[in-house]
Amino acid sequence: MLELKINGDLRRIDVDEDTPLLWALRDELKLTGTKFGCGIAACGACTVLVDGEAVRSCSYPATAAVGKDILTIEGLSEDNSHPVQQAWIAESVPQCGYCQSGQIMTAVSLLKKNPSPTDQQINEQMTNICRCGTYNAVRRAIHRSARQLQEQGA
C-alpha cells in the first residue's frame, strides 16, 4: 500500500512496486488528464510535476513518489484559471489536444525555474513532442503566461 500526496490530497493505493506513476494515476486514481504516449519517457504526454519538477510519469515508479508532492493537470486549477492554461486558450494552442496536459505541466515547471525564458530556452526545455506541430503556439503561450505571472507577481 502506497500513500501519495496528489494535488494536495493524500491518497492510498495498492499497486505493485514496479508500477509507473502514470498507471497509478490513471488506473487506480482515475486521474486521466495525464496521457500515455510512448511508454519510454520520450514524448512527454505523461508529464506531471513531482516536487515542482517535470517528470515523465510513464517511467517514474509510483514508489519513488512517496513523500513527494505530485501535481497533475487536474490539480493545476479546477476551472482552467491558471495563467499557463489561460495562455494556452488565448493562443489557441491545442489542435488534437492529446499532448497538451504534458506540454502545460512542462511549461509550468519551466516558468517556475525561469520566469522570463527566451525562445531558445523554451526550445531547450520544452522537449515534449506534438504530432500536430504546435511548437510556435506553445512558445507564444509560454511568453504570454510569463508576462501574466510577472504582472500578478507570482
Side-chain angles (χ1 to χ4, degrees):
M1 190 67 75
L2 299 180
E3 187 171 87
L4 301 175
K5 186 176 180 186
I6 301 170
N7 301 330
D9 296 324
L10 287 176
R11 306 286 298 269
R12 293 177 62 90
I13 57 170
D14 188 15
V15 295
D16 293 334
E17 65 181 53
D18 61 345
T19 301
L21 181 58
L22 170 68
W23 300 118
L25 294 170
R26 289 185 59 80
D27 292 349
E28 300 299 318
L29 298 171
K30 307 306 180 205
L31 295 171
T32 57
T34 303
K35 304 300 182 196
F36 173 77
C38 65
I40 58 171
C43 75
C46 65
T47 303
V48 299
L49 302 187
V50 177
D51 284 344
E53 294 291 322
V55 301
R56 309 280 170 100
S57 65
C58 70
S59 64
Y60 191 90
T63 54
V66 172
K68 299 180 180 180
D69 289 320
I70 303 159
L71 183 65
T72 70
I73 192 72
E74 292 92 347
L76 195 55
S77 74
E78 292 182 13
D79 59 357
N80 295 325
S81 62
H82 188 280
V84 174
Q85 291 170 309
Q86 287 295 299
W88 245 247
I89 294 166
E91 295 294 337
S92 300
V93 175
Q95 287 184 26
C96 82
Y98 197 80
C99 70
Q100 295 306 309
S101 62
Q103 296 271 11
I104 288 169
M105 298 309 287
T106 303
V108 168
S109 178
L110 164 65
L111 290 169
K112 283 186 181 195
K113 292 180 212 166
N114 184 348
S116 188
T118 64
D119 281 346
Q120 181 178 342
Q121 291 166 328
I122 292 169
N123 292 345
E124 291 168 358
Q125 296 298 309
M126 294 297 296
T127 59
N128 301 49
I129 296 171
C130 175
R131 290 184 64 178
C132 301
T134 64
Y135 303 111
N136 290 329
V138 165
R139 268 191 303 280
R140 285 193 311 271
I142 290 172
H143 287 302
R144 178 186 286 260
S145 55
R147 287 189 304 273
Q148 186 176 359
L149 286 164
Q150 289 169 1
E151 290 169 5
Q152 294 175 352

